[in-house]
Amino acid sequence: TAALQSSTAVGLMAAVFTAEGAVALAPALGLMLGAGVGSALIVQLFSFDIGFVFPLFIFTGLIAFRVGQGSRTRDLGRVGIGLGIMLLALKLLVETANPGAASPAMRDLLAQVTGDPVFDILLAALAAWAAHSSVAILLVIMSLASSGVVGPEASLALVLGANLGSAINPVLETGGQDRSRLRLPIGALVMRLVGIIAAAPFLPLIAARMGAYSAGPEHLAANFHLAFHLALSLVFLPLLSPVAKLAERYLPAARAGEDPKAPRHLDRALLAAPPLALANAARETL
């Protein structure tokens, strides 16, 4: 996740691997916990000024792609260029959000809508779901906190909401009629919900305690994001097997006769009646 800069992408890949049987459910749940920690490390990195990094990635990637003789070197060059462009996009996103957040009208609006922690969580969850990137939304939250638009408690509530929204995406995008494919994304979502519900009542205390050890409001949000995922991992790592068993119990695999890939309308008995057979073929195609 630290390399891809997207826990959502890692979650979607893990859901596919688990659905195909390449990875067992309990280790895959651990992978999802690690994805959260990886995204938190990226946010930590962005809490400092790393504007020099993206040109370095793009430049070295371009050199490797142009002068590389083997396909692996050229592919690594593509990776470097892609990572550099992603870092540049995140940097430009924050720079674009800063002028709007600095306007008096936007400050007044945000001050009104970020007064309720529950609403803050829902608002950030919606934004992270729409953006498909908790890292991007967290960078915006850090920018708002740094400029004083949102207070410490509100910024922590927004961090919780961003984590909730990024866990919703894999649930909605893991398709198929077989409910067992939803075991991993729903299991990861439930673990985050438990963490959010446990942390939400203590946000004022957490903001006061962690604020004393943070270099600034933006670092407070980044530190809380990392602490949340580390605590979530420490709590749930010993419980992955019970969580996996619960998911398997309430989300059973489809039975053999319920294969979604099997034809529903084709009937060999109708081959002697071509109009009916073609009509059934049309229904099957639709």
Side-chain angles (χ1 to χ4, degrees):
T1 302
L4 292 177
Q5 304 169 30
S6 174
S7 60
T8 301
V10 173
L12 291 173
M13 288 190 295
V16 172
F17 293 152
T18 306
E20 297 298 330
V23 181
L25 183 56
L29 289 169
L31 190 150
M32 298 297 285
L33 293 175
V37 175
S39 69
L41 292 176
I42 287 296
V43 172
Q44 279 286 332
L45 186 64
F46 272 102
S47 65
F48 302 94
D49 186 11
I50 57 168
F52 67 93
V53 174
F54 74 84
L56 182 63
F57 271 113
I58 296 176
F59 179 73
T60 55
L62 180 62
I63 295 298
F65 179 75
R66 295 298 296 270
V67 305
Q69 300 298 324
S71 60
R72 178 173 297 180
T73 303
R74 292 172 64 86
D75 288 341
L76 289 174
R78 290 189 180 95
V79 171
I81 295 172
L83 290 176
I85 292 174
M86 290 172 66
L87 291 170
L88 173 61
L90 292 172
K91 182 176 184 296
L92 293 176
L93 174 67
V94 175
E95 291 181 354
T96 303
N98 282 337
S103 66
M106 182 59 68
R107 285 177 174 270
D108 293 339
L109 176 62
L110 290 174
Q112 293 294 327
V113 302
T114 58
D116 183 8
V118 175
F119 183 78
D120 293 342
I121 292 174
L122 296 177
L123 179 64
L126 180 63
W129 165 79
H132 279 60
S133 174
S134 61
V135 173
I137 299 304
L138 283 162
L139 292 179
V140 173
I141 294 170
M142 290 163 55
S143 176
L144 295 175
S146 176
S147 59
V149 177
V150 297
E153 296 178 24
S155 67
L156 299 191
L158 291 171
V159 169
L160 291 179
N163 282 286
L164 177 60
S166 64
I168 293 174
N169 284 316
V171 176
L172 298 180
E173 296 186 16
T174 303
Q177 298 181 6
D178 188 355
R179 290 186 298 171
S180 64
R181 299 176 67 91
L182 294 172
R183 290 172 180 170
L184 178 62
I186 288 182
L189 175 61
V190 169
M191 289 191 294
R192 286 202 187 179
L193 272 175
V194 171
I196 290 170
I197 293 171
F202 302 101
L203 289 181
L205 178 62
I206 295 173
R209 293 291 179 87
M210 293 190 69
Y213 300 97
S214 300
E218 68 278 13
H219 291 280
L220 171 62
N223 293 340
F224 175 68
H225 182 50
L226 179 60
F228 174 79
H229 282 286
L230 288 176
L232 203 65
S233 299
L234 289 174
V235 169
F236 279 103
L237 273 176
L239 303 174
L240 292 182
S241 293
V243 172
K245 290 180 180 178
L246 286 174
E248 292 169 353
R249 177 181 178 183
Y250 290 103
L251 295 169
R255 291 175 292 182
E258 298 176 352
D259 184 5
K261 299 178 183 178
R264 299 182 181 183
H265 304 291
L266 300 184
D267 188 355
R268 289 185 177 274
L270 295 178
L271 289 178
L276 295 178
L278 290 174
N280 281 356
R283 293 181 63 196
E284 187 67 40
T285 302
L286 293 174

